[in-house]
Amino acid sequence: MTVTGVRGRARIVARADGRGGTALPVLDGEGPLAPRRTRSAGAEARVMVVGAMSGPLGGDRFTLDARVEEGARLHVGSAAATLALPGQAKGEARYDVRLEVADGAELHWLPEQLISAGGSDLRVTTRADLAAGARFVLREEQVLGRAGETPGRLTSRLTVRVADRTVLDQELACGPGAPGGWDGPAVLSGRRAVGQLVVVRPEFADGPVAARMLGECASLVPLAGPAALVTAVAPDALRLRGLLDEALAELG
């Protein structure tokens, strides 16, 4: 018998409710992805993505789509870290995230860390398509291996487009089988946690942020559009989160 892995998909649509709040006309998931609405904060709807089983494992295919329509505000987090594990099926696992944010809408995409366990092989792609007047915050955090563990292979690609213009398209591959140098001084330099913070605001078009270092292990750079990118590395997940939280607070 051939083991092909698990298929899972979740969909979220946020829409202004006409009363100053945000409705969720579409909130559904299948397989291991279970989005759940939590208590709102003012005009912002909040969703927590709950993993209904372990994974992604080898051969699994997960897809998560979120669309925020004009005037809506959405905050998405996850209930726990995502743990990539080896599975019975051969081949890499895939986790694809697709985000759309309309003019006058706002999305905060703030999941917990992704942990690449030993023996796993995971490819993650995140694509955000934003209108010119959209507001957007995205945080990505990858942790290479559990305590004392050699990590699996992790390939992560992040693409952000604003008004049909690509402002960021980057890929990082780490772990066994990744191109040489990923653990060298030009990339992680022996550290095991890496993260990105993308902030898109219309006002950045006229007043872009200034490029600068944020301490020894993080940098802030303007992107070619109304956006800014923070990149950080750290010895562990806790310190990485602290660096990204400080950067987000500094950006207001």
Side-chain angles (χ1 to χ4, degrees), residues 51-201:
M53 61 180 70
S54 298
L57 310 180
D60 289 354
R61 300 290 185 271
F62 295 174
T63 304
L64 206 163
D65 298 309
R67 185 174 80 245
V68 188
E69 299 180 355
E70 185 174 355
R73 296 179 60 190
L74 177 64
H75 180 290
V76 179
S78 56
T82 297
L83 180 60
L85 294 164
Q88 293 181 337
K90 294 183 179 181
E92 68 180 11
R94 291 190 61 98
Y95 199 144
D96 299 314
V97 177
R98 300 291 179 263
L99 310 173
E100 296 180 42
V101 188
D103 271 318
E106 182 171 350
L107 172 61
H108 286 208
W109 189 264
L110 303 171
E112 294 301 309
Q113 298 93 349
L114 172 70
I115 302 171
S116 175
S120 64
D121 185 358
L122 175 63
R123 177 177 293 272
V124 181
T125 63
T126 302
R127 179 183 172 114
D129 288 289
L130 317 174
R135 303 175 72 85
F136 180 63
V137 176
L138 175 145
R139 182 185 67 215
E140 278 194 346
E141 299 166 305
Q142 291 102 26
V143 180
L144 304 180
R146 294 166 290 191
E149 179 183 58
T150 300
R153 179 167 179 171
L154 175 62
T155 304
S156 176
R157 183 170 183 177
L158 173 60
T159 305
V160 179
R161 291 174 56 82
V162 180
D164 296 323
R165 179 186 183 189
T166 300
V167 301
L168 177 67
D169 191 354
Q170 67 176 24
E171 182 172 290
L172 177 65
C174 303
W182 67 269
D183 202 21
V187 188
L188 297 186
S189 191
R191 295 174 176 87
R192 285 294 178 264
V194 57
Q196 296 76 232
L197 180 72
V198 179
V199 180
V200 178
R201 293 178 181 158

Side-chain angles (χ1 to χ4, degrees), residues 110 139 141 197 230 238-252:
L110 303 171
R139 182 185 67 215
E141 299 166 305
L197 180 72
V230 175
L238 181 61
R239 278 177 273 191
L240 177 65
R241 176 64 60 85
L243 288 170
L244 295 179
D245 282 350
E246 288 174 11
L248 185 57
E250 186 168 331
L251 288 168

